[in-house]
Amino acid sequence: MRWENLTAETTETVDTAETAGSGHGRTADAALFGADAVTTRTFDTPEFRGITFHEVRARSILNRVPGASRMPFEWTVNPYRGCTHACVYCFARKTHSYLDLDTGIGFDSQIVVKVNAPEVLRRQLGSRRWQGEHVAMGTNVDCYQRAEGRYRLMPGIISALTDHANPFSILTKGTLILRDLDLLKQAAEVTDVAVSVSVGFTDPDLWRTVEPGTPAPERRLDVVRTLGEHGIGCGVLMAPVIPFLGDDPAQLRDTVRSIAASGATSVTPLVLHLRPGAREWFMAWLGQHHPHLVRRYERLYAEGAYAPKWYQRRITRQVHDLAREYGIGPTRASEHRRIRPPARAERPAHGTDTSEPTQLTLI
C-alpha cells in the first residue's frame, strides 16, 4: 500500500449537496504518515469479523476543504478512512485508491484508523496560526461507524474542540453518537454545535441491500428524537434519494412523515450522485439486483456524476412540499441544526456577540 503517497493533497474528499473533490493522487513533499507508522490488526469478534484495521499515527488531522467547493465550511476532521457501513453508493470509495486499496469490498473492510487524532487535533487547535474556524465531521466517512465503538476517538475530538470553544458540526448515520450526548451538551455551552443525521429512505428492503452495515432508518430517527428530547436540535439529510428505487411519491411521503415524527428541525433532500469509484461499484450492484434499471441509469447519468437538474428539482420540490405539509421546512441559511447554547456571561471572552449568535449550516 502506498502510505507514503497519502498527503495533504490526497487525503480528504468532502461531500454534501454541492461539493468538489480533493486532489487526484498528486504527491506532495511530506506524507501525512509513513509506512513505519502503520500497525495492522484484526479482531476475532462477530462485529469485526472480516475487517482489517490499519492503525496510523497522523501528522495532521485538520483538513482544508478544496478551494473549488461551495461548502459553508473550510475545515474537516476525519478520524477514519474506509467505512463498515458498506453503502454501495458511497462517494468516498475513490479515496481508497490513493492507497492502492480496493474501492469496493476493500473500502468496506480495510479501515484506516488515525489513532492519535484527538492529540493531534488538540495540538493544532492550540497553534497560534489556527483562527477557530468551523470544523465539519462526517463529511467523508462516518465518524460514528462501527470502529468508533472500539477506538473511541470522538470523545477526545469533541473534548478538544470544546476546550478551545471551537464551533463544529457532525453528520452521521450512526446511533453511537448518543454515547457522546453529554459531551455534545457540554460543547454547546461554549460554542456552536450542529448535528445532522442521514436518512434517505425508510424502505426496509432497500436499506438492507444498499446500506447493509448501517443502523436501520428507524433507529437513526430514534437518534434524532433522543437528541431533540435533550435540547439538541437535529436536522435530517434525506440522502440519497435513489432514482427508480426510492423516489416513488408514496416512498417520499413515508420518509418525510417519519422524519417529521422524529422531531427533526429540518429536512434536506439530496439525489444520488455517482462519482468514479462509487459509480462502478453501484452499477455492478444494480446489475446484480435490478438489471432492468441499468439502461435507465445509464441514460439518467449520461452527462456525469449528477442526475439532471430537472430531476433534482422535481425531487426537491416534492420533498419540500411534503415537509411543509408535515410541519418541517427545508434547511435555509437562517435555519441550522445546532444546539442553542444558553446565555453565558463569559461568552464575549471568546469573541462572540451573544445578541446575535452566528448561524451555522452543515450543508
Side-chain angles (χ1 to χ4, degrees), residues 105 110 123 162 194 204 230 245 248 283 295 299 323 325 358:
I105 293 295
Q110 302 281 329
R123 185 186 72 238
T162 301
H230 287 81
L245 293 172
D248 182 90
M283 291 301 290
R295 286 295 299 139
R299 290 193 295 269
E325 179 181 341
T358 301

Side-chain angles (χ1 to χ4, degrees), residues 195 224 228 232-236 259 262-267 327-331 335-338:
V195 181
V224 177
I232 302 176
C234 182
V236 170
I259 291 171
S262 75
T265 59
S266 63
V267 56
I328 54 178
T331 300
E335 295 180 358
H336 58 92
R337 297 171 297 283
R338 55 157 288 191

